[in-house]
Amino acid sequence: MKVKVLSRNASDYVRETSQDIHKIKRNFDPSLHPFEKAREYTRALNAVKLERLFAKPFVGALSGHVDGVYCMAKHPLKLTTIVSGSGDGELRIWNLSEQTATWNISGHKGIVRGVCCSPTKSDFYYSCGTDKTVKIWNPNELSDEPINTFIGKSAFSAIDHHRSDLIFATSGSQVDIWDENRSNPIKSFTWGADTIHAVKFNQIESNILGSCGTDRSITLHDLRMNSPLAKLILQMKTNAISWNPMEAFNFTAANEDHNCYTFDMRKMDCALNVLKGHVSAVLDLDYSPTGEEIVTGAYDRTLRIFHSRKGHSRDIYHTKRMQRIFCVKFSMDSKYVLSGSDDGNVRLWKANASEKIGPKDYRERAHLEYAEKLKDRYKNLPELKRISRHRHIPKAVKTAQNTKLIMLQSQRRKEENLRKHSKKDSIPYKAERKKSIIGVAK
Amino acid sequence: KLIMKDSLLEARISKYVRPTGGKLGPKQLKKIKNRKLKGTLERVENYSQEAAHKAASHELLLIEEPGYLEAEGIEKTFNITQNKLKEQLDENSAKKIFDLKLTNFGPYSLDYTRNGRHMVIGGRKGHLITRDWLENKPGCEIHVKETVRDVKWLHNELFFAAAQKKYVFIYDHNGLEIHRLKKHIEVNKLEFLPYHFLLVSVGNAGWLKYQDTSTGKLVAELRTKLGGCDTMVQNPWNAIINLGHANGTVTLWSPNMSAPLVKMLTHRGPVKAISVDHTGNYMATSGLDGRLKLWDIRTYKPLQEYFTRTPASSLSISQLGLLGVGWGPHITVWKDAFRIKQKSPYMNHLQPGTQIQDIQFCPYEDALGFGHSYGVSSILIPGSGEPNFDSLEANPYQTKKQRQEAEVHSLLDKIQPEMIMLDPTFIGNIDRTSKEIQEKERKEQEEEERAGEGKWEPRNKARGKNSSLRRYLRKKQKNVIDERRMKITRIEQERKANKKRQKETDNKPPTALD
């Protein structure tokens, strides 16, 4: 007879010395691993609960400004440098890793309305204010004087620098394009007689810039042309725009009607996406360098982080001490978010609230990735959804949300009733992405 | 052997592909109009195919092969005795055939831990022994001086439960009594659900009780209403408990329902023994009518029927699908008995002068341990154990540190008893009940939550908004105008007029009390 019986050699399964790692044998036969889904679901539930447990996004507050912080700019080449301008004309440059101010100057006589950095000259910082001046500063110089001053005809409201040329744009009563070597603007764009309060250069298509005016418009200009490109009018005023750093033709506008609208520059008659969540006017927004996430700051004292393609916020940050947020920035490593508010502090937050900061070894990373995938797989189950969505929200915001919901519901109900009692198709449905667009002019 | 042939790989991939219920085939994918959804689903399909491919090609790394026994010439495998087998084997394997002669303390029941390394044996007259049978190291030995009807390991070799005369006791690996479970009364059979940490017991009173051994909570107490029960086995694939009753029925229980999920009429007399295979496909039952029936437990249909000369007192199905039957002093092992009706068994063993009480195949080993009236023995059945174990599930070679970490991991992954269902893959599936039924269930749940509040009754106020007059007026027959009602409305109006007149006569400013 031929016989073979299972006889294991212990040396195949036990480690030789205590300095070795243990020998792990795997067999992926599904019959040896029963209850796959139940165990995965339990692990997903635990992962979601731990995520909420470790969600501590606040890193630190940079205080030093006496008046509120109304504008901020991040340095395109240095990861830890932020420049902020406040209401009493003070400019400060911060080092984020030390959380201290490295340089400050009382640069303007009124509010500093805009600050920016130059991508080509890494030591130069530009600021503009209501005292009709644009000043260029170099913190390495010992004197308290700016390197250069440009005087304009009216108060300036925003400033932005071109990606590669020595050109910067300011906005006030019109959009001015300045060359650093000339004391007068080389070009001016106007369309309509109202003030422009925001201007942003596209960092990929570097000749395009977008501006927001008080006549509820967003105007796009091209430096190579003498007249503006296109004008988009929404129902309410846009407070800020930000260009997507990955998709050259997409930009997002932060609107007074509590929403942010993403548009494709080439086809502005329909928004690509509407980001809803805030209960008060959205004052500033910024894209993450990956182009996947957007951080917005609103007048309701909260900061929200959205995924660019989804409609509702992934996370909301708030503190009792943080008052109205006027400027937000996403850090260039997409791990942190900064908010400047009118209590005079610039606050540093983690972009992913429960992420561990610092180097993680391979096994930890693998486990975290596994946890993420598990949460993603079971995210639609009610228990998990409830836990992952749960956030503590300040009472004012909560009541405002409820009120808004009731109002929207009643509006919808009334519209439906009107539709039911009138001739069929006489009241057409308006797409949500087109609702607030009044018109596009070319 | 290093590069797997494509055809072999194809056959093995099907083992690793998780069934989607026919809902995600290429035809269904083509029908989807939404391009984003289609792209996502196609990507998911590709990932799962890739995973199945990788798992199948991982089989190259499995180092052990299953055992076999082939007869040559005119000899038959069922004629080969253990002694003849012993001559052909190496020393290591020959050590696995042993006899423990324990004559005084009655028929023995036994249990193996999940990794097959330790065994606990319990004699009817109160003798409890644990030992590491692979290394031949004794664990503990105690005499509890009262009837012990069943023994069962808990989640690892540190704890075991013994169903004693009145209650169930839990002991440490040193033999120290840790718990007395006074809710489990006169228990005949114990089972342990390892992924749920539930100790299940059934006894003479006919109550099925589930106890969580990690939190200590009694999860469910179910009345079987079919009298005392002494046959219980768990279905390792879906954690459902199968009970065999004296009226010939086998009932399937889950802790979430107070009635059995399924009732099957299996035998014409009491059911003596049941066993379920670890994939949850097949069940073997034997009754006092001398029949041995094999069932497909997914469809509840009978597959085969065998006949044993004496009613089989114990059944066990090994990891590779071998069916072991203990009847009288004999043990018969059948190979591949479920798919085709076999004409002759695989192996036979006779333990003369004893009655076989309890047989168990050892997991991950080719051994069959059995307890009989004069002790415990172990025999070798080549080809019964799964050759390649997964260290992260059950590791016979685990060190103390690995055991401690495995305990923590399994506690973290402990599945809640609410998830025990006939189909364990239901989690994450869409609830296809109609909207009306879901609304009704939600209302019922809300009512249950509000049950304590009591029905609203209006307060008995003498005057004011809710006075007796007003209450009367509010009652049902509002629309009936009769003399009484007219009289009451007149009184109400007079009262109002009086009040108004009084207000006009007093020139005081109106207060909140008016």
Side-chain angles (χ1 to χ4, degrees):
Chain A
M1 63 175 153
K2 278 196 276 185
V3 63
K4 177 194 176 279
V5 170
L6 268 181
S7 178
R8 292 196 183 91
N9 190 351
S11 61
D12 285 338
Y13 298 95
V14 178
R15 63 180 181 179
E16 286 164 2
T17 66
S18 62
Q19 315 298 323
D20 283 337
I21 55 168
H22 287 288
K23 293 190 181 169
I24 299 286
K25 305 285 176 198
R26 302 298 321 266
N27 185 346
F28 295 109
D29 190 351
S31 60
L32 290 180
H33 302 272
F35 308 110
E36 285 176 328
K37 279 193 165 181
R39 286 154 90 186
E40 272 190 354
Y41 173 71
T42 311
R43 285 178 191 162
L45 202 57
N46 287 340
V48 143
K49 289 178 182 173
L50 283 176
E51 187 207 336
R52 288 287 93 220
L53 191 69
F54 290 125
K56 296 183 168 116
F58 185 62
V59 177
L62 311 168
S63 47
H65 279 296
V66 178
D67 205 341
V69 175
Y70 294 109
C71 52
M72 261 196 320
K74 52 187 181 186
H75 199 286
L77 303 169
K78 294 184 206 163
L79 201 53
T80 53
T81 306
I82 295 286
V83 57
S84 60
S86 78
D88 62 350
E90 190 187 9
L91 277 164
R92 272 176 185 257
I93 296 183
W94 307 90
N95 182 333
L96 290 178
S97 47
E98 321 255 304
Q99 292 184 24
T100 53
T102 55
W103 181 78
N104 68 335
I105 188 123
S106 209
H108 285 268
K109 290 210 187 74
I111 302 180
V112 181
R113 280 263 111 130
V115 280
C116 77
C117 307
S118 161
T120 40
K121 289 196 182 152
S122 66
D123 274 338
F124 282 19
Y125 300 93
Y126 302 70
S127 65
C128 69
T130 46
D131 57 354
K132 303 180 194 169
T133 54
V134 176
K135 297 188 180 173
I136 305 181
W137 307 90
N138 185 341
N140 296 333
E141 280 198 12
L142 295 162
S143 72
D144 271 353
E145 295 299 314
I147 295 177
N148 210 346
T149 312
F150 300 87
I151 302 177
K153 292 190 203 83
S154 57
F156 291 116
S157 55
I159 185 168
D160 199 21
H161 200 282
H162 191 273
R163 186 183 170 93
S164 43
D165 298 343
L166 292 173
I167 289 175
F168 61 90
T170 59
S171 65
S173 51
Q174 74 263 4
V175 177
D176 289 324
I177 312 291
W178 303 72
D179 186 321
E180 285 178 30
N181 304 320
R182 305 215 185 286
S183 55
N184 281 324
I186 51 175
K187 254 192 214 166
S188 284
F189 295 111
T190 50
W191 189 343
D194 275 339
T195 14
I196 316 264
H197 52 261
V199 73
K200 268 277 160 60
F201 262 109
N202 189 334
Q203 296 297 315
I204 308 173
E205 284 284 335
S206 29
N207 290 311
I208 311 264
L209 59 141
S211 64
C212 314
T214 47
D215 56 349
R216 306 168 294 152
S217 65
I218 303 174
T219 317
L220 298 176
H221 309 273
D222 191 328
L223 284 183
R224 301 166 286 199
M225 293 169 42
N226 280 325
S227 57
L229 268 181
K231 183 171 183 172
L232 164 71
I233 302 187
L234 298 168
Q235 278 195 347
M236 293 182 83
K237 181 179 84 143
T238 307
N239 285 318
I241 65 167
S242 179
W243 292 93
N244 188 329
M246 281 294 165
E247 292 156 21
F249 33 80
N250 290 342
F251 67 91
T252 309
N255 210 347
E256 279 279 320
D257 65 354
H258 317 179
N259 300 337
C260 300
Y261 299 94
T262 310
F263 292 100
D264 183 334
M265 178 180 108
R266 308 165 290 189
K267 193 171 179 288
M268 292 205 284
D269 60 347
C270 177
L272 288 176
N273 199 8
V274 182
L275 306 174
K276 291 188 171 193
H278 280 292
V279 293
S280 195
V282 188
L283 294 175
D284 196 12
L285 90 166
D286 194 26
Y287 263 94
S288 144
T290 60
E292 294 280 310
E293 303 211 311
I294 296 176
V295 59
T296 62
Y299 192 70
D300 63 357
R301 307 192 191 108
T302 59
L303 204 67
R304 277 180 195 262
I305 300 182
F306 294 84
H307 185 273
S308 344
R309 294 292 179 181
K310 296 192 181 159
H312 292 277
S313 62
R314 167 172 77 75
D315 215 340
I316 170 173
Y317 297 158
H318 58 88
T319 314
K320 263 202 191 138
R321 294 187 177 196
M322 180 166 71
Q323 303 305 317
R324 320 283 179 184
I325 302 168
F326 281 90
C327 45
V328 286
K329 283 279 176 272
F330 223 116
S331 79
M332 288 307 269
D333 58 357
S334 79
K335 283 205 165 77
Y336 296 95
V337 149
L338 289 135
S339 67
S341 51
D342 72 353
D343 54 277
N345 291 322
V346 174
R347 283 185 178 80
L348 186 62
W349 309 79
K350 287 193 234 172
N352 290 313
S354 39
E355 189 184 348
K356 177 189 167 191
I357 301 294
K360 298 179 256 261
D361 71 341
Y362 169 74
R363 289 183 61 176
E364 197 169 359
R365 257 186 297 132
H367 177 81
L368 289 168
E369 277 173 26
Y370 178 56
E372 278 304 312
K373 183 65 190 164
L374 278 173
K375 279 185 272 183
D376 183 55
R377 179 176 276 191
Y378 291 96
K379 64 177 181 283
N380 292 314
L381 287 173
E383 194 57 35
L384 242 96
K385 203 178 194 177
R386 183 182 73 91
I387 295 172
S388 69
R389 254 173 23 113
H390 177 262
R391 298 285 186 283
H392 174 249
I393 290 183
K395 194 172 184 182
V397 176
K398 193 90 178 108
T399 47
Q401 273 179 349
N402 290 340
T403 318
K404 196 173 164 188
L405 187 67
I406 293 171
M407 285 163 68
L408 286 174
Q409 276 175 349
S410 83
Q411 269 177 14
R412 233 177 282 146
R413 194 180 57 237
K414 286 180 186 169
E415 209 185 302
E416 269 309 304
N417 284 340
L418 208 62
R419 214 170 263 135
K420 274 189 218 166
H421 294 279
S422 39
K423 188 175 160 188
K424 193 175 175 197
D425 292 338
S426 61
I427 303 177
Y429 286 99
K430 252 204 140 179
E432 190 66 36
R433 288 183 273 177
K434 289 189 186 173
K435 248 189 200 164
S436 49
I437 301 175
I438 292 185
V440 183
K442 294 254 170 82
Chain B
K1 206 216 168 191
L2 280 174
I3 305 167
M4 250 195 185
K5 281 188 228 160
D6 266 340
S7 53
L8 273 176
L9 200 58
E10 285 300 319
R12 285 179 203 197
I13 280 178
S14 58
K15 186 161 69 157
Y16 297 97
V17 174
R18 305 300 194 267
T20 54
K23 297 233 164 55
L24 209 57
K27 262 195 202 169
Q28 276 78 19
L29 278 177
K30 263 195 213 159
K31 281 191 209 161
I32 299 172
K33 297 270 171 69
N34 185 342
R35 279 188 290 166
K36 197 170 172 187
L37 179 64
K38 191 174 176 181
T40 319
L41 289 175
E42 277 177 358
R43 216 178 319 129
V44 166
E45 259 304 289
N46 283 337
Y47 279 146
S48 52
Q49 284 292 330
E50 204 184 306
H53 186 99
K54 282 198 178 149
S57 32
H58 176 269
E59 284 193 5
L60 273 174
L61 297 172
L62 299 175
I63 53 179
E64 302 281 348
E65 300 267 315
Y68 56 84
L69 175 65
E70 283 166 27
E72 286 167 337
I74 49 161
E75 68 175 353
K76 304 275 186 198
T77 56
F78 55 80
N79 282 328
I80 298 170
T81 59
Q82 292 292 312
N83 287 328
K84 251 194 256 168
L85 205 58
K86 209 167 181 175
E87 292 161 15
Q88 306 277 335
L89 294 173
D90 56 313
E91 199 187 312
N92 222 7
S93 306
K95 269 197 262 178
K96 294 179 189 163
I97 306 175
F98 63 83
D99 266 306
L100 291 175
K101 292 197 176 66
L102 309 154
T103 46
N104 297 330
F105 295 104
Y108 281 81
S109 359
L110 91 162
D111 188 39
Y112 287 102
T113 51
R114 269 183 74 210
N115 55 11
R117 196 180 178 97
H118 299 259
M119 65 152 66
V120 62
I121 59 180
R124 187 131 275 222
K125 299 202 172 64
H127 189 200
L128 291 169
I129 302 180
T130 59
R131 61 197 300 263
D132 175 351
W133 73 282
L134 278 180
E135 301 272 295
N136 210 352
K137 280 196 206 141
C140 77
E141 183 174 349
I142 50 175
H143 292 258
V144 296
K145 295 177 200 150
E146 59 177 14
T147 319
V148 166
R149 292 195 203 98
D150 198 12
V151 278
K152 200 83 193 166
W153 283 111
L154 296 188
H155 56 277
N156 56 18
E157 68 267 22
L158 294 179
F159 305 100
F160 64 93
Q164 293 181 206
K165 181 169 145 200
K166 195 162 180 203
Y167 301 118
V168 172
F169 288 81
I170 295 183
Y171 294 91
D172 197 5
H173 63 290
N174 291 321
L176 186 70
E177 178 191 317
I178 303 179
H179 296 288
R180 176 184 69 126
L181 304 174
K182 62 178 190 208
K183 293 280 175 115
H184 302 253
I185 299 170
E186 282 194 19
V187 169
N188 281 326
K189 268 281 169 11
L190 288 170
E191 267 293 336
F192 187 70
L193 303 174
Y195 295 98
H196 305 75
F197 278 79
L198 288 174
L199 180 65
V200 194
S201 73
V202 73
N204 287 329
W207 282 79
L208 182 64
K209 301 199 182 190
Y210 289 78
Q211 179 116 25
D212 188 329
T213 53
S214 59
T215 57
K217 188 171 161 235
L218 193 63
V219 169
E221 290 174 290
L222 311 168
R223 266 182 71 197
T224 58
K225 294 189 208 160
L226 289 165
C229 177
D230 63 356
T231 316
M232 171 166 77
V233 90
Q234 68 164 298
N235 183 339
W237 180 68
N238 58 9
I240 296 280
I241 295 290
N242 298 34
L243 295 176
H245 298 277
N247 62 358
T249 53
V250 167
T251 50
L252 272 58
W253 296 84
S254 129
N256 306 319
M257 265 187 70
S258 54
L261 297 168
V262 178
K263 267 192 191 173
M264 295 165 66
L265 181 62
T266 50
H267 289 280
R268 277 190 186 164
V271 176
K272 204 69 184 26
I274 329 177
S275 183
V276 179
D277 85 322
H278 79 298
T279 57
N281 275 324
Y282 304 116
M283 177 172 79
T285 62
S286 79
L288 276 182
D289 55 356
R291 300 258 186 303
L292 170 69
K293 290 193 186 173
L294 305 177
W295 308 81
D296 179 340
I297 213 167
R298 304 261 178 114
T299 57
Y300 312 108
K301 292 205 161 69
L303 291 171
Q304 319 291 348
E305 191 176 320
Y306 293 82
F307 179 64
T308 53
R309 271 173 267 150
T310 319
S313 57
S314 187
L315 291 170
S316 182
I317 305 181
S318 86
Q319 283 173 321
L320 289 186
L322 265 58
L323 171 65
V325 184
W327 50 283
H330 301 265
I331 294 181
T332 311
V333 178
W334 298 83
K335 186 169 187 168
D336 200 17
F338 297 99
R339 288 185 302 126
I340 333 164
K341 174 121 190 204
Q342 300 287 332
K343 294 205 176 64
S344 54
Y346 179 52
M347 284 183 77
N348 260 322
H349 178 74
L350 169 65
Q351 192 80 8
T354 66
Q355 289 289 315
I356 308 285
Q357 164 81 357
D358 186 12
I359 68 173
Q360 290 273 347
F361 274 101
C362 179
Y364 306 112
E365 287 289 336
D366 272 344
L368 171 67
F370 57 97
H372 50 84
S373 34
Y374 295 116
V376 165
S377 305
S378 166
I379 57 175
L380 278 179
I381 312 285
S384 61
E386 168 67 50
N388 299 295
F389 58 82
D390 191 319
S391 309
L392 300 179
E393 287 280 334
N395 186 355
Y397 295 94
Q398 64 185 18
T399 62
K400 182 176 167 198
K401 211 53 188 290
Q402 283 180 322
R403 185 193 69 219
Q404 290 168 337
E405 299 209 351
E407 187 178 12
V408 173
H409 281 301
S410 57
L411 277 169
L412 283 172
D413 288 346
K414 181 181 89 163
I415 306 171
Q416 293 302 314
E418 285 82 34
M419 289 196 245
I420 298 179
M421 279 290 140
L422 281 173
D423 176 18
T425 58
F426 77 100
I427 293 167
N429 286 354
I430 299 173
D431 189 4
R432 288 189 187 276
T433 53
S434 69
K435 207 170 183 181
E436 292 98 43
I437 296 178
Q438 280 181 358
E439 280 290 326
K440 200 166 67 149
E441 280 179 4
R442 196 156 11 112
K443 274 205 186 120
E444 278 171 17
Q445 213 178 358
E446 279 180 14
E447 267 171 38
E448 227 179 87
E449 284 167 13
R450 295 215 197 105
E453 286 172 29
K455 197 168 177 247
W456 178 79
E457 276 168 5
R459 285 209 321 246
N460 254 346
K461 280 159 79 173
R463 57 194 189 95
K465 222 166 79 163
N466 220 7
S467 67
S468 47
L469 202 64
R470 291 277 180 86
R471 269 186 289 130
Y472 181 82
L473 286 174
R474 205 175 33 232
K475 280 193 179 173
K476 280 183 203 163
Q477 288 169 322
K478 267 191 204 167
N479 292 330
V480 174
I481 311 275
D482 61 350
E483 224 181 66
R484 187 156 184 219
R485 191 181 165 91
M486 289 180 62
K487 186 170 152 206
I488 290 172
T489 42
R490 219 184 321 124
I491 296 175
E492 181 75 23
Q493 281 168 355
E494 276 175 17
R495 260 203 206 169
K496 258 196 202 160
N498 272 338
K499 227 190 201 175
K500 215 177 181 182
R501 233 184 294 130
Q502 225 188 5
K503 234 196 270 177
E504 280 167 7
T505 53
D506 317 335
N507 284 325
K508 284 185 244 160
T511 64
L513 297 170
D514 281 342

